[in-house]
Amino acid sequence: MSETPKYTDRQMALILKRAASLQASGDEGRFSLEEVRQIAAQVGIPAELVTRAANELTAGAERSGIGGPGTSYYATRAVPGAVSPSDYPELLSIIRRVTRDPGKPSDLAGALEWRSSTGYSSLAVTVAPGKDEAVIRVEGEFGGQKMVSYLIAGAVTGLATLAALGSGMPEVAAGVAGGVGLLSFAGARLLWGRLARRAEERVSQLRDALAAGLGKRAGPS
């Protein structure tokens, strides 16, 4: 008779992770953090580790729609170690180097905040210190870039329609407008898709640069 297999803690974690992935059927939020803690407690995972894991969720984005990807992105990370306001000038230097934008920093309730807006996009960074770790959150809104992509498509459609109307054949003009409109929409969606990927990468890169900086500077409390 074969022996019942035994698994290490690491193997158990991998099994549970894979099983949860197989079970997942959508992106809707179903569990509160407290509920996740309770489930984890059943397999011996401490609540503080669940909280830390939740803080380390890497990135997120607004759900895509008919117009392509959403315009809002965020990336977070928890970095172990104590961080104080004396570290903020170095963190601001990292932010400004990565974004090439001086932005507007502020200190709110002990947390470092930095914001920047160009009219087409905006970025917001928060570094919130805790007793044993700091939590980085980078948020980006790129609605202006998406709007410009579709305005270009609209302009192309309008110009093509005006040119067709000059032929004096309304039926031809309607057909041209419809065909060009569909092509322009598809082109705008493709363009915005590429810009959205760059935007998402920009948010994650800023988060990673700050995490690397904190990892070097943060020490034990």
Side-chain angles (χ1 to χ4, degrees):
M1 181 182 295
S2 61
E3 295 184 1
T4 302
K6 300 291 186 180
Y7 301 101
T8 65
D9 288 344
R10 179 175 177 78
Q11 288 172 327
M12 180 188 70
L14 291 172
I15 291 170
L16 292 175
K17 180 179 178 181
R18 177 55 179 160
S21 177
L22 292 171
Q23 183 186 37
S25 59
D27 295 329
E28 298 81 4
R30 296 175 55 198
F31 304 101
S32 68
L33 182 57
E34 182 56 34
E35 288 172 330
V36 176
R37 290 195 188 105
Q38 293 173 4
I39 294 170
Q42 296 177 19
V43 292
I45 300 175
E48 58 269 23
L49 292 183
V50 175
T51 301
R52 180 171 174 179
N55 287 334
E56 291 178 350
L57 285 175
T58 55
E62 178 186 336
R63 186 172 297 179
S64 298
I66 192 173
T71 61
S72 299
Y73 298 89
Y74 74 86
T76 67
R77 179 164 295 171
V79 181
V83 178
S84 69
S86 64
D87 297 311
Y88 292 172
E90 177 63 23
L91 296 178
L92 282 173
S93 177
I94 293 173
I95 294 171
R96 288 165 173 164
R97 184 180 71 247
V98 174
T99 64
R100 299 181 182 178
D101 188 334
K104 294 182 179 180
S106 63
D107 187 329
L108 181 62
L112 170 64
E113 291 196 344
W114 178 92
R115 294 180 179 276
S116 172
S117 177
T118 65
Y120 296 100
S121 64
S122 64
L123 282 173
V125 178
T126 302
V127 180
K131 181 180 179 181
D132 301 313
E133 65 181 14
V135 177
I136 303 166
R137 183 176 178 89
V138 181
E139 298 177 81
E141 171 57 48
F142 302 89
Q145 293 185 9
K146 184 174 184 178
M147 179 183 68
V148 169
S149 299
Y150 282 89
L151 284 176
I152 292 173
V156 170
T157 301
L159 290 173
T161 302
L162 288 174
L165 285 172
S167 67
M169 300 176 65
E171 296 82 1
V172 173
V176 169
V180 173
L182 289 174
L183 290 174
S184 298
F185 178 83
R189 199 177 191 281
L190 178 62
L191 172 61
W192 166 239
R194 292 178 177 176
L195 292 175
R197 285 194 295 274
R198 292 180 184 176
E200 188 172 14
E201 290 171 358
R202 183 182 177 191
V203 168
S204 295
Q205 286 171 355
L206 180 53
R207 184 273 316 272
D208 292 343
L210 286 167
L214 280 175
K216 293 178 181 178
R217 297 182 60 84
S221 58

